[in-house]
Amino acid sequence: MSRKWAIRGILLYILFGLVMYAYLFVWADSTIPENLSGSVADPSTFMTERELVLSEEYSNIRYFLSFLSTPYEWLFYLIILVTGASKLFENWAQKISRFHAIQSVIYVFYLSVVSFIAIFPFQYISHRFSIKYGISNETFQSWMKDEMIDFWIGYISMIIIVAAIYWVMKKSPKRWWFYAWLLFVPYATFFVFIQPIVIDPLYNDFTSLQDKELEKDILAMAEEANIPAEHVYQVNMSDKTNAMNAYVNGIGSSSRIVLWDTTLEKLSKDEILVIMAHEMAHYVKKHLYIGVAGYLVAALFGLWLLSKLLTRISHKYKDTLKITNWNQLSSLPLLLALLSLMLFFSSPVSNVIARYQEKSADLYALELTQDKEAAVSTFQKLTQAGLSQVNPPTLVKWFFYTHPTMLERLMMVDEFETSDQP
């Protein structure tokens, strides 16, 4: 039975891959409506013929890999379970120590290493394509350094989460999901607080913004928006990517305004101010707090649903999946697979909410700067730098777009009436 499950999983994955390939490369239409031809949203008006071709190629490849990666994760967890590898990792951990915390450290290490090796091909292929199409210029050594940082941060975080969840599973088998959520609330809040000051600097070097005149203008906008920031930071990203970005993150005293050096190099002062006004809008409109609160509410429901699915599936398919018990470490791949499934199929809903917030931030930036021309040129340059599709296929938008499409953003700017317009 276990072998049949593995074979069926592989066949379903291959079938899914063929369907997604046909959808992206044959059926999907990413052209803009005819009535928008020649408008500010028409990519042929601001991208070269070669950029248009590369944009279609790179976008289709990138999203094809994205669609394949998540089901591949599910297939990986299925194989780990049905082959008995998860049970083996649990046995090894139990032989080394009788303490639950130590067993969690050992088990999670085995699973993390195997997972890293299994998923590495996807990560590497994505990296190579980003280099081929000129999005990334990161060396293999630098890329591997970031991958290893990801691994260890993920490993340490997973140890804390797994040890806590499986401890409350054993202490309260019926209400573990609620107690796990209570533990998750301070953990998630603390993580948001420390990310800009502890985690982000592990990947890149942050320095004060060199352009003091620009910093003065940005801080003036921040003061108007009541953002408690005394400095603007720039981060060296040009060694890794040609894409552009800027952001405001952190809570309270950890708040940081950050610009990538690629943004500073490729955009004018007015364009940078449009981007910063957009990012500040998220702070002004409390999007971070709303997002965290919404995430915590969703996590409560998600953990409840996860508890029902985990116990039911682990009991029904205990022998096939080779699980000792639903609250033992050997069930972790099943828990992770179910969590991944829930996140994937709920992403269209969360993305709708995210796109609404991003649209409101765009409007705020336009109202604050009253500079339509700079907003249009900013979005056009972002499209060029990222080789993005102006009008992506529907499924791509549903599952991956946390921002409005560039078609929607450019048309919104074009239709916006500034205060000096009649």
Side-chain angles (χ1 to χ4, degrees), residues 12 25 39 42 50 69 78 94 129 139 145 162 173 184 206 220-221 239 275 278 296 307 385 392 409:
L12 281 173
F25 291 90
S39 69
D42 185 352
R50 176 169 173 75
S69 62
L78 175 64
Q94 290 173 345
F129 272 114
T139 64
K145 176 186 173 184
V162 169
F184 177 73
F206 289 77
M221 289 176 63
D239 291 339
I275 286 184
H278 170 99
L296 292 177
S307 70
R409 301 179 86 175

Side-chain angles (χ1 to χ4, degrees), residues 159-177:
I159 289 173
I160 297 171
I161 294 170
V162 169
I165 286 180
Y166 279 85
W167 179 75
V168 296
M169 278 180 176
K170 293 176 180 178
K171 292 294 182 180
S172 180
K174 292 184 177 180
R175 294 186 178 85
W176 70 265
W177 56 273

Side-chain angles (χ1 to χ4, degrees), residues 193-364:
F193 182 84
I194 69 168
Q195 179 179 339
I197 55 179
V198 176
I199 297 176
D200 289 351
L202 296 175
Y203 294 89
N204 303 104
D205 294 326
F206 289 77
T207 59
S208 295
L209 184 62
Q210 302 302 306
D211 188 336
K212 296 305 176 184
E213 285 298 316
L214 177 60
E215 182 181 47
K216 182 179 178 181
D217 292 335
I218 293 173
L219 289 176
M221 289 176 63
E223 184 177 0
E224 185 177 346
N226 294 317
I227 297 177
E230 298 180 356
H231 300 284
V232 180
Y233 295 89
Q234 68 181 63
V235 56
N236 179 24
M237 293 295 294
S238 55
D239 291 339
K240 297 182 179 182
T241 182
N242 292 313
M244 296 181 282
N245 196 17
Y247 56 88
V248 178
N249 69 349
I251 297 176
S253 61
S254 74
S255 298
R256 281 192 172 191
I257 301 173
V258 180
L259 283 158
W260 287 10
D261 61 341
T262 50
T263 304
L264 294 168
E265 293 167 4
K266 296 180 180 182
L267 298 185
S268 67
K269 176 183 174 181
D270 289 340
E271 291 166 343
I272 290 172
L273 291 178
V274 168
I275 286 184
M276 293 314 305
H278 170 99
E279 297 303 330
M280 290 177 187
H282 291 306
Y283 189 94
V284 172
K285 293 176 178 290
K286 312 296 183 185
H287 286 166
L288 179 61
Y289 297 94
I290 293 171
V292 171
Y295 188 68
L296 292 177
V297 171
L300 179 61
F301 172 75
L303 283 168
W304 171 80
L305 179 59
L306 182 64
S307 70
K308 301 299 182 183
L309 293 172
L310 180 64
T311 53
R312 181 171 299 181
I313 294 174
S314 59
H315 284 150
K316 187 174 182 179
Y317 302 104
K318 181 178 180 180
D319 294 334
T320 302
L321 298 178
K322 297 179 173 56
I323 295 173
T324 306
N325 203 346
W326 68 271
N327 61 357
Q328 296 293 323
L329 286 172
S330 57
S331 70
L332 180 59
L334 175 59
L335 185 150
L336 294 174
L338 291 172
L339 180 61
S340 178
L341 275 162
M342 292 163 56
L343 289 173
F344 181 77
F345 287 107
S346 65
S347 61
V349 176
S350 61
N351 287 344
V352 166
I353 298 171
R355 287 196 296 271
Y356 174 81
Q357 292 183 333
E358 295 297 337
K359 181 179 180 180
S360 70
D362 283 343
L363 284 170
Y364 177 91

